[in-house]
Amino acid sequence: VTLLQILCLFCNRTWDGWLCWDDTPAGRITAQNCPDYFPDFDPTERASKYCDETGNWFRHPESNRTWSNYTLCNSFTSEKLKMAFILYYMAIVGHALSITSLLISLAIFFYFKSLSCQRITLHKNLFFSYVLNSMFTIAHLIIVVPNPGLVKRDPVSCKVLQFFHQYMLGCNYFWMLCEGIYLHTLIVVAVFAEEQRLHWYYLLGWGFPLVPASIHAVARAKYFNDNCWMSVDTHLLYIVHGPVMAALLVNFFFLLNIVRVLVTKLRDTHRAESNMYMKAVRATLILVPLLGIQFVIIPWRPENRLAGEIYDYIMHILMHYQGLLVATIFCFFNGEVQGALKRQWTQYKTQWGQRRREHCSTRSTSYTATSITEVPVYLYHHDSNNEQLNGRYVDDSELVALKCGETSA
Amino acid sequence: MSLTQRFPRSRGWAAGGAVRTRFISASTKQARRTGTIARQLPARRQPGPSLLAMALLPRRFLCFVLAHHFIAATACHEAEYGRQIRERCLRPFKISMEGIGQQLWCDWDETMGTYGELTNCTVAVAENLTCYWPNRLVDEFFVAVHSHYFRNCSPSGRALRDPPNGILCPFILVPILVTLLMTALVVWRSKRSEGIV
């Protein structure tokens, strides 16, 4: 018996049938996390027990028996379940929209051969990795998440699915890194217009993410082998998220370096060109922080209920609508793509109008309107841009390589 | 699984069992002293004795009548019970838990079978020795088992835990370092393919 116990009045430690409660000083409410014995008990809520001033546990006035307060454990569960369903459907819709917009963008990039260049090739790979990521996420959300029987059975296939899910997540962010490295090499390092060999980019974008995904799989199987590897409460997830954050950070520094070069070296000589280059990198500069922000602010979910809900909505939008954002910024808002689409549309319109007029009357029209679309983009721009640019950093065909990516995105 | 499921009658026992134990021990002392008289008592009992007749019997006789019914039941020798559950039940439990490994003691899926066998074993020994189950000894026994094997388990009892930091940190830092190296490699190679070093 300690001195504290002699001097202070306290309620004895007790077992109330569900949880153990420690010695508590008189007049104090003690709380601990709710147990997870029942499906509608939320282990993040708190159960409490009151030790009154006389050193006895609180007795419920109706039954006069000692009573612990478990009411908070299942009082909010239905609301939380409703919100979880909303977020779930939002995620599925986001990924479906992303897949649609990305497939349209890929179709545009493959159809318009005039747009092809190395930067577009990198965009195509990026979009493809986003499509695969969304497909795996949708598969996971539809097959595994609403199916507790499957999770209980814990087949190897759902762990394999999770492995590929982590791999595709890595691919996404490493392809963004490849874009950044390519731009960096092109602007800061390059002098000659020789096209880069893309083998190393393919290795970094498709091959390397296997490494963190495999290490995560091994560590999870050995140390935290929960059913279907669904739990997000483990620090082992940082095995994949750590390299992703490192890639984002490196990408960010590359882009800052590019901006620094453009601003300092070109400001004095050719303001117009530096503006143009700025526009070229603007899209990437916007995307990198947006894509990375979910990893930075994830640990700090606000305690307040309303703020926490808003936080959840924002995080879900940032996470699941990324493919749509990337497709919009890199493709739909790209001046080159818009120009190509407009030309194609005018061509169809005149052809259709042509056929109608031929059908209806005997007048013939000229074909000059349709001939412009056949001229490759780079030649078109090359003719109109006959300045010779100073400095080691810029060359005409480099200009071409950049412009074929985007000029006013 | 809560403790009440492991001890289905423990709360009820806490109220009634203690009383029963005291009553048993009191009447045992009486019965031992007057054992020979008690064994002859059945011949005296007529079917359906009236309440008045029962009330007229001296109190000591009443105690002997009641004590007779408990002689068979109070053959429970507590020290013997304690010894038997330690030998016959605790030993295979210990071996089994050592086999499972200390890492997994808190994993209920792993230990459920062994724990159930331990419980059933104490019930069987209680039946053999005609003791009540559960009883104070079994309760103390299980508290000791819990304090040795399940002391470090989290309250819900089944949560998995991360490996210790000494293992976790290398697992996280190595991929990050490899990422940075790989990035540097790609930057270097793309520089070289441009013809510029």
Side-chain angles (χ1 to χ4, degrees):
Chain A
V1 180
T2 65
L3 198 62
L4 200 68
Q5 284 172 321
I6 295 172
L7 292 178
C8 302
L9 200 58
F10 68 101
C11 297
N12 281 320
R13 64 193 69 173
T14 183
W15 165 256
D16 66 355
W18 281 346
L19 291 173
C20 274
W21 299 91
D22 252 335
D23 296 329
T24 310
R28 177 95 66 88
I29 300 179
T30 175
Q32 56 176 307
N33 283 330
C34 294
D36 62 349
Y37 308 137
F38 306 103
D40 62 343
F41 265 35
D42 183 2
T44 64
E45 291 285 351
R46 308 277 278 173
S48 60
K49 201 169 170 66
Y50 177 57
C51 176
D52 62 20
E53 289 81 3
T54 61
N56 296 312
W57 288 111
F58 170 76
R59 288 176 179 272
H60 197 272
E62 280 176 27
S63 61
N64 207 25
R65 295 166 63 177
T66 47
W67 184 81
S68 317
N69 189 356
Y70 287 95
T71 53
L72 288 178
C73 296
N74 67 348
S75 53
F76 300 115
T77 309
S78 54
E79 283 169 26
K80 287 190 184 174
L81 208 61
K82 219 188 322 180
M83 207 180 98
F85 266 113
I86 293 176
L87 290 174
Y88 172 76
Y89 288 124
M90 222 168 80
I92 292 186
V93 163
H95 281 286
L97 277 176
S98 298
I99 290 182
T100 320
S101 56
L102 287 164
L103 286 175
I104 294 174
S105 313
L106 277 172
I108 292 175
F109 282 146
F110 276 112
Y111 181 70
F112 292 106
K113 294 279 186 270
S114 58
L115 291 172
S116 295
C117 60
Q118 280 197 325
R119 189 129 183 263
I120 296 292
T121 309
L122 292 184
H123 283 350
K124 285 181 201 166
N125 278 288
L126 177 73
F127 289 8
F128 193 50
S129 83
Y130 265 99
V131 167
L132 287 176
N133 186 25
S134 290
M135 277 168 51
F136 275 108
T137 309
I138 287 186
H140 184 254
L141 283 176
I142 290 182
I143 298 176
V144 178
V145 168
N147 198 349
L150 179 74
V151 176
K152 205 168 160 63
R153 271 188 294 121
D154 190 21
V156 176
S157 55
C158 78
K159 292 186 179 164
V160 169
L161 183 69
Q162 191 71 289
F163 166 75
F164 278 112
H165 192 213
Q166 301 291 340
Y167 167 64
M168 293 317 314
L169 185 80
C171 280
N172 268 356
Y173 291 96
F174 278 96
W175 270 110
M176 279 305 295
L177 179 64
C178 288
E179 297 247 357
I181 295 176
Y182 179 81
L183 271 181
H184 185 260
T185 310
L186 201 57
I187 294 178
V188 177
V189 173
V191 172
F192 298 112
E194 191 181 306
E195 285 210 329
Q196 301 179 40
R197 273 180 302 152
L198 293 182
H199 304 126
W200 288 98
Y201 294 106
Y202 284 120
L203 185 69
L204 184 65
W206 291 120
F208 179 72
L210 278 173
V211 170
S214 314
I215 296 180
H216 169 262
V218 163
R220 208 66 194 257
K222 204 158 145 44
Y223 294 108
F224 203 100
N225 198 8
D226 59 325
N227 289 9
C228 280
W229 291 345
M230 271 185 63
S231 169
V232 294
D233 283 331
T234 170
H235 286 106
L236 290 175
L237 276 176
Y238 282 115
I239 295 175
V240 172
H241 291 184
V244 164
M245 284 194 265
L248 281 168
L249 214 62
V250 164
N251 210 11
F252 194 61
F253 281 121
F254 274 153
L255 290 171
L256 283 181
N257 199 22
I258 291 171
V259 170
R260 175 188 70 88
V261 161
L262 289 177
V263 167
T264 59
K265 302 291 181 184
L266 294 180
R267 182 175 31 184
D268 305 319
T269 53
H270 295 274
R271 191 172 281 277
E273 279 68 40
S274 76
N275 275 342
M276 190 181 54
Y277 274 96
M278 281 294 233
K279 281 186 191 161
V281 304
R282 187 175 57 192
T284 319
L285 266 177
I286 292 172
L287 265 181
V288 167
L290 269 181
L291 294 185
I293 209 167
Q294 76 186 79
F295 287 102
V296 173
I297 71 176
I298 260 185
W300 295 301
R301 190 177 190 275
E303 295 287 331
N304 184 10
R305 192 172 305 277
L306 184 66
E309 279 185 24
I310 295 173
Y311 172 91
D312 279 336
Y313 278 114
I314 293 178
M315 289 303 295
H316 270 250
I317 289 174
L318 279 178
M319 282 199 291
H320 301 298
Y321 289 75
Q322 269 179 21
L324 182 64
L325 196 67
V326 164
T328 312
I329 291 185
F330 272 152
C331 180
F332 300 137
F333 284 177
N334 184 334
E336 295 295 330
V337 169
Q338 285 173 350
L341 283 171
K342 274 195 199 113
R343 279 191 295 274
Q344 191 74 16
W345 177 241
T346 14
Q347 181 181 15
Y348 278 142
K349 259 174 55 175
T350 49
Q351 273 184 356
W352 185 68
Q354 188 98 34
R355 279 200 212 101
R356 250 185 21 138
R357 266 168 272 161
E358 277 179 6
H359 184 72
C360 296
S361 71
T362 53
R363 251 189 315 161
S364 67
T365 54
S366 67
Y367 288 88
T368 51
T370 61
S371 62
I372 302 173
T373 55
E374 297 310 316
V375 175
V377 168
Y378 73 88
L379 277 179
Y380 180 75
H381 279 277
H382 189 80
D383 288 337
S384 67
N385 196 3
N386 45 15
E387 285 185 68
Q388 196 63 33
L389 297 158
N390 269 340
R392 313 167 43 235
Y393 301 96
V394 170
D395 191 52
D396 264 347
S397 39
E398 277 179 19
L399 193 66
V400 155
L402 252 184
K403 283 191 126 198
C404 92
E406 48 209 273
T407 50
S408 54
Chain B
M1 196 170 293
S2 72
L3 209 50
T4 41
Q5 283 164 299
R6 295 177 188 177
F7 292 100
R9 282 168 286 171
S10 63
R11 275 194 294 169
W13 167 81
V19 172
R20 243 179 275 137
T21 323
R22 271 179 272 141
F23 187 78
I24 288 168
S25 54
S27 49
T28 314
K29 288 182 210 146
Q30 294 264 8
R32 283 208 195 101
R33 266 187 261 126
T34 55
T36 48
I37 301 171
R39 268 181 234 121
Q40 290 169 14
L41 274 172
R44 286 209 191 187
R45 276 190 300 139
Q46 306 297 326
S50 69
L51 273 173
L52 197 55
M54 294 284 281
L56 289 176
L57 281 173
R59 255 188 98 172
R60 234 199 266 165
F61 273 129
L62 198 64
C63 284
F64 297 159
V65 166
L66 291 167
H68 167 75
H69 292 284
F70 290 110
I71 275 180
T74 54
C76 179
H77 193 209
E78 285 191 345
E80 176 66 19
Y81 183 69
R83 191 185 65 81
Q84 282 211 10
I85 54 175
R86 262 185 285 280
E87 262 185 30
R88 291 171 52 184
C89 304
L90 188 59
R91 202 163 290 167
F93 179 75
K94 261 193 205 170
I95 295 169
S96 179
M97 291 296 269
E98 294 294 323
I100 288 172
Q102 193 165 0
Q103 292 273 50
L104 295 175
W105 280 352
C106 286
D107 189 348
W108 180 236
D109 288 326
E110 297 285 332
T111 59
M112 179 169 63
T114 318
Y115 193 91
E117 278 169 23
L118 178 67
T119 313
N120 291 339
C121 178
T122 58
V123 173
V125 171
E127 277 175 18
N128 267 350
L129 298 180
T130 58
C131 295
Y132 282 105
W133 192 95
N135 56 57
R136 179 179 60 90
L137 261 179
V138 157
D139 199 37
E140 283 172 3
F141 173 73
F142 273 106
V143 167
V145 164
H146 277 240
S147 69
H148 182 252
Y149 288 98
F150 306 120
R151 175 187 289 273
N152 288 329
C153 299
S154 60
S156 70
R158 283 172 288 156
L160 287 168
R161 265 190 287 173
D162 283 338
N165 277 344
I167 299 176
L168 189 65
C169 288
F171 260 118
I172 293 178
L173 288 175
V174 164
I176 294 179
L177 288 173
V178 174
T179 304
L180 295 172
L181 282 173
M182 188 70 189
T183 311
L185 180 71
V186 172
V187 170
W188 178 64
R189 291 298 304 181
S190 62
K191 265 161 102 171
R192 277 195 59 177
S193 73
E194 285 282 333
I196 305 303
V197 174

